[in-house]
Every structure is written in C-alpha cells, then in structure tokens.
Amino acid sequence: MVISPPEKPTRDEKQSAGRNVAIVALFAALGGMLYGYDTGIISGALPKMSAQWGIDHTRQEIVTAAILAGAVIGALVGGSLSKRLGRRKTIFIIACVFAVGVVACALAVDAWMMTFCRLFLGLAVGACSQIVPTYIAELAPPQRRGAMVTFFNIAIGVGIFLANLVSVVAAAGDSPEASSNWRWMIGIAVFPALVLAAAMLQLPETPRWLIENGTVGKARVVLRWMRPNRTAAVEETLQIWAISQQEDKESRGGWANLTQRWARPALIAGLGIAAFTQLSGLEMMIYYSHTILGTAAGFDAGLVVWSGLGIAAVYLIFTAVGERLVDVVGRRRLMLTLIPGSTVFLFGFGLMFVLTDHPNRYLTLALMLAYMACNAAGLQAVGWLLGSELYPLSIRDRATSLHAVALWGSNLVLTLTALSTIDGLGLGPAFVMYAGFNLLSFVFVYFAVPETKGHSLEDIEQSLRDGTFLPLRGNIASRIGLPDNRITTGAAAD
C-alpha cells in the first residue's frame, strides 16, 4: 500500500485562511474597543459631570468604579452564559448590553442614575473581557494565537485613544468644565456596539465549543474555513476531540473542577497575572489622568487634555508593539524584559513628587509616558492573552470567568481607593507604592508563569497533566538567569 504524503497548502489557501482568521479577530475585537472607550471616556467626562452636578471626590470614585463593579458581575455571568449558549451568541448579547448601556448613561439626570447605568454597562465590559479573548484564541491557529488575541488589547487602546480624542474635541468650546457635552461623548459608543452585534450574526462559533457540545462535523467545517487545508482542519478536529473525550467525566464536576490539583498551577498563574495587570496601576492612571495631572500635579487645563491624548496614544502604540512581539519574543520573556522598566519609571514619577511639591511638568509627564509604554507592551499585552490560553478545556469557562473577576476586582479596589490614597499619602508616596506592585509582578512572573509561545491549547493542558507546566522545576538555583522556560510536551516548541 502506498501512503500519500501530507497535503501541503497552496499559497492561495494560506492567504485565504489567514484573511478569515484576521476578519474574525478584528470584528470580535470591537468588544475591546467598546471596553476601552466606555472605561476611558470617564477621564474627560468626569470633570464636566462633577461641575454640573457638584459631586466630590468620593462620589467621583463611586461613579468611576461603578462600571468595574458591574464588570465583576458580568465576568461571573459571562462564563456560564458562554458555556450554555456558545461564545458567538454570548458576544451578540454583550453587544446589545453595550448599546443599551451607553444610551442610558448618556441620558442620566444625576450622579446616582449615572452610577446605576454604568453598573449595567459594566456587565458588558466584564463579560466581553472574558469571552472575546477566549473566542479569538479558540479560533486562531497556535502560531498566530498571540497576535490574534492581542488584537483585543490593541482595540482597547484604540477605544481609549478615541475617548481622549473626543475629550480634546469636547474641550475646544468655551467653558468646557461647565458644559453638558459629556452626554454625546458617551452616547456615540452605541454605533460600534451595533456593528459588533451585526457582525456576530455572521461569524462562526468556535470549534472547541462545538465539539464539547457534540457537533464535531460543524467544528470541522469551521476549522476548514480557518485553516489552510483539509488535512490541518481534520488533524486539529481530532486533537480537540481527543482532549474533549479525556475531560468528559471531569467536566461534570462544575466549579469543583477548579480545585483539582493538576490544574492549580494554571489557576495560580492566570489569576495572579490578571490581578497584577491592574495592581500595576495603568488603567487607574487612564481613568484619573485628568484629575491626577490637573489637580494633583498642577498642569493647566489645556496641557491636561493634550497629555491625556498623549497617554492614550502611547498606550495604543505600545500595545501594538507588544502584539508584534508576543509571538516572537514570547509571553514570559516579554514581561520579564519590560516590567523592570515600568517599575523604575513609575518609581521615578512618584519620587519626583516626594522630593518637591512642584517638579518639572515635562519630566514628570515623560516618566509617566515611559511607564505607560513598558506596561502596555508587557503586562497589559500578555495579561488578557494568558487568560485565554492557560486554562484546561474542562474548567475554561469558569476559570476565564474567575480570571476576569480577578482582573476587574483588583481594578475596582484600585479605582475606588486611588483618589483617597493620593489625598491621604500624597501623590509621590502613592505612586512609589504602585511601583512596588510592579516589582512584585516581576517576582510572580519569574516563579509562576511559564512560556506558552508556539504551543497549542492542547499542549498547554497536557503539560499540566504531566507536571511540566511550572517555569522553574527541580533545583531553582541552577536555573536562575534562564527566563525562557518552556512547557515541555510532545509538541516541539517554536
């Protein structure tokens, strides 16, 4: 019998599959843009609301953090919903909540109504942050998964940049602090929400969810559309099916599966990274950039607005840099390279205000931007990605929910306490403390987070079962200075 060699994809097939993967990632990542815009627009809108409604710092923190409290709830609900209905239908529902939420916020008549509406809007933000990266990761090929999932991060950066650009436009009129033009600033986000809802009616369900729910044939059809040829689609279908069969009995345990000893290292790594992406302080600085630079640092109104736009631009540019590097340098190495920079620059920013009450404005802004660049390209680019690829299939829905809860919960704590902390400790000591959180994140990554670059989701799961997941095994001292620790599986690492 003559065995035919494996089918090789043609150039046209590769281009077609790559285009289809990009289309899915780009449209799904609209959820990231909505997340970035709806959380970022508060920085420019909050001073206007405060002037119109006469609210103090405590109420400002409550209004700002309400969306994060909703995000915690949305993250918990989103996992169960996506397991029952599928990733695609859940994202459609999320898009509808986004549309209703932003319109409600734009029509709010006082601070308490705004708080409630942002709480509702947060349901979409939290569920989106949990479902969209998982949706993209389960459709993307292993060698492009990092770049595709970080489309979500780039979209967040686009949303934050657009929010600050809108703030610049809104501030161009006379007496911007007393105006009520914050309503249209918030309300225009309804349009991308409707585009996302329409797109999800056309995009496919993920093959992993389809196989888990007994529709192997549909999964193969989806993979044939997303992969360069029939052979690649069939092989991946069989690999997913084998893992699904292996987990069939385990998946009946529900939330109890999260306590399984073999899966614990993935939970520790994923939830820790989720917390540190927020405790490192970047998103808190985005929310309160106008307040921090204007009230605490003494920037004039014009410089505050343009500085906010510069912060958003740096976030966007360096998130894109991280997207380009994450599949080349690797997740772990990228974080270990850039976290020291974010620590030093944030410490320097805080130290400037410890040493003097009136530091050089441009030097302090430069330190803030340098910190933003390192954090956006490192921790922020990798945080969402790891949440989509570390967890085994049997616990993925619940674990990604916990991942988003850890992220939004830590964000909520930081946002609720930021202005009070700055008032109590002073701007300088507060940011020295946040620099300490960045240093702790470096230690955590070194000891608890493995390299996942180039490995399929099934390879990562098998490493957990084999006990080869952790980055440092055996004699730790002998491995100091070797940050590129890889998951050891049957598949060769890139």
Side-chain angles (χ1 to χ4, degrees):
M1 180 178 68
V2 179
I3 300 176
S4 301
E7 175 188 0
K8 292 185 177 181
T10 66
R11 182 178 179 182
D12 288 344
E13 286 176 326
K14 288 182 178 179
Q15 289 178 343
S16 177
R19 183 172 59 251
N20 293 338
V21 170
I23 288 171
V24 167
L26 283 170
F27 275 109
L30 273 174
M33 192 191 81
L34 286 162
Y35 154 24
Y37 187 90
D38 290 335
T39 56
I41 194 64
I42 194 64
S43 181
L46 187 61
K48 300 174 185 295
M49 293 179 198
S50 302
Q52 184 176 350
W53 292 333
I55 57 178
D56 58 16
H57 271 181
T58 301
R59 188 71 61 81
Q60 288 178 37
E61 287 177 330
I62 292 173
V63 169
T64 302
I67 198 171
L68 308 178
V72 173
I73 300 170
L76 280 172
V77 173
S80 299
L81 202 61
S82 73
K83 185 173 182 65
R84 185 177 303 111
L85 300 180
R87 309 342 181 186
R88 184 178 70 91
K89 290 181 180 178
T90 302
I91 297 174
F92 172 79
I93 294 171
I94 289 168
C96 294
V97 175
F98 266 125
V100 174
V102 295
V103 171
C105 287
L107 298 176
V109 297
D110 58 30
W112 288 116
M113 183 176 176
M114 175 61 74
T115 299
F116 176 79
C117 292
R118 280 177 61 81
L119 182 72
F120 176 77
L121 183 59
L123 298 176
V125 172
C128 163
S129 65
Q130 184 256 327
I131 301 299
V132 173
T134 299
Y135 177 76
I136 298 172
E138 291 188 350
L139 282 167
Q143 66 275 16
R144 295 184 63 193
R145 188 176 63 246
M148 293 297 98
V149 174
T150 48
F151 268 139
F152 181 76
N153 300 74
I154 293 175
I156 293 172
V158 170
I160 292 171
F161 180 79
L162 290 175
N164 280 272
L165 185 61
V166 166
S167 296
V168 170
V169 173
D174 293 331
S175 301
E177 296 296 318
S179 69
S180 61
N181 59 4
W182 58 265
R183 296 185 184 279
W184 70 260
M185 293 167 61
I186 294 172
I188 58 174
V190 68
F191 297 109
L194 295 176
V195 172
L196 176 60
M200 294 316 299
L201 293 175
Q202 303 297 321
L203 295 177
E205 182 54 81
T206 72
R208 285 168 176 82
W209 185 87
L210 291 170
I211 289 173
E212 189 178 12
N213 287 271
T215 50
V216 179
K218 290 182 180 179
R220 187 169 62 248
V221 171
V222 172
L223 282 170
R224 181 63 190 93
W225 187 66
M226 303 286 291
R227 300 297 183 261
N229 59 24
R230 182 177 178 276
T231 300
V234 170
E235 287 179 353
E236 189 165 344
T237 301
L238 292 173
Q239 187 180 27
I240 297 170
W241 181 82
I243 287 289
S244 180
Q245 290 295 108
Q246 184 178 359
E247 294 184 334
D248 185 51
K249 292 182 180 179
E250 298 173 2
S251 63
R252 297 172 188 169
W255 285 96
N257 283 334
L258 297 174
T259 63
Q260 295 174 107
R261 186 173 180 177
W262 66 272
R264 197 175 301 156
L267 283 170
I268 292 172
L271 298 183
I273 283 295
F276 277 119
T277 57
Q278 301 306 316
L279 294 177
S280 60
L282 182 138
E283 294 209 21
M284 176 273 295
M285 291 180 72
I286 291 173
Y287 302 154
Y288 293 126
S289 62
H290 287 212
T291 303
I292 291 171
L293 295 177
T295 304
F299 284 29
D300 60 68
L303 186 57
V304 166
V305 173
W306 284 103
S307 296
L309 186 62
I311 288 169
V314 168
Y315 180 93
L316 173 58
I317 291 168
F318 283 90
T319 299
V321 169
E323 185 266 346
R324 300 299 299 172
L325 293 176
V326 73
D327 279 330
V328 178
V329 176
R331 287 76 154 140
R332 174 183 162 85
R333 181 179 290 176
L334 189 62
M335 288 189 290
L336 291 178
T337 300
L338 293 178
I339 290 174
S342 65
T343 302
V344 169
F345 291 127
L346 193 58
F347 178 80
F349 177 85
L351 187 62
M352 293 285 289
F353 289 92
V354 171
L355 297 177
T356 175
D357 292 334
H358 302 287
N360 183 281
R361 293 183 301 175
Y362 297 102
L363 178 57
T364 56
L365 181 59
L367 287 168
M368 179 183 281
L369 294 177
Y371 155 77
M372 295 285 293
C374 291
N375 195 285
L379 262 179
Q380 300 301 317
V382 176
W384 292 110
L385 172 58
L386 288 180
S388 70
E389 62 185 12
L390 285 178
Y391 306 121
L393 183 60
S394 64
I395 65 170
R396 187 167 299 153
D397 298 290
R398 294 174 177 85
T400 52
S401 288
L402 282 184
H403 187 93
V405 168
L407 192 147
W408 290 115
S410 55
N411 195 350
L412 174 62
V413 170
L414 212 62
T415 303
L416 270 176
T417 59
L419 296 182
S420 300
T421 301
I422 291 171
D423 284 343
L425 298 180
L427 184 64
F431 279 93
V432 169
M433 180 184 72
Y434 296 139
F437 289 146
N438 283 263
L439 180 60
L440 288 175
S441 72
F442 178 88
V443 176
F444 179 82
V445 170
Y446 187 85
F447 286 103
V449 182
E451 182 58 70
T452 56
K453 176 176 76 79
H455 296 282
S456 71
L457 299 180
E458 289 69 39
D459 288 340
I460 296 169
E461 176 165 343
Q462 194 60 50
S463 75
L464 283 163
R465 295 178 179 277
D466 295 341
T468 59
F469 177 87
L470 289 175
L472 303 179
R473 299 180 300 275
N475 185 357
I476 292 178
S478 69
R479 304 182 71 89
I480 296 296
L482 299 175
D484 190 20
N485 300 112
R486 304 183 177 197
I487 290 173
T488 304
T489 67
D494 287 353

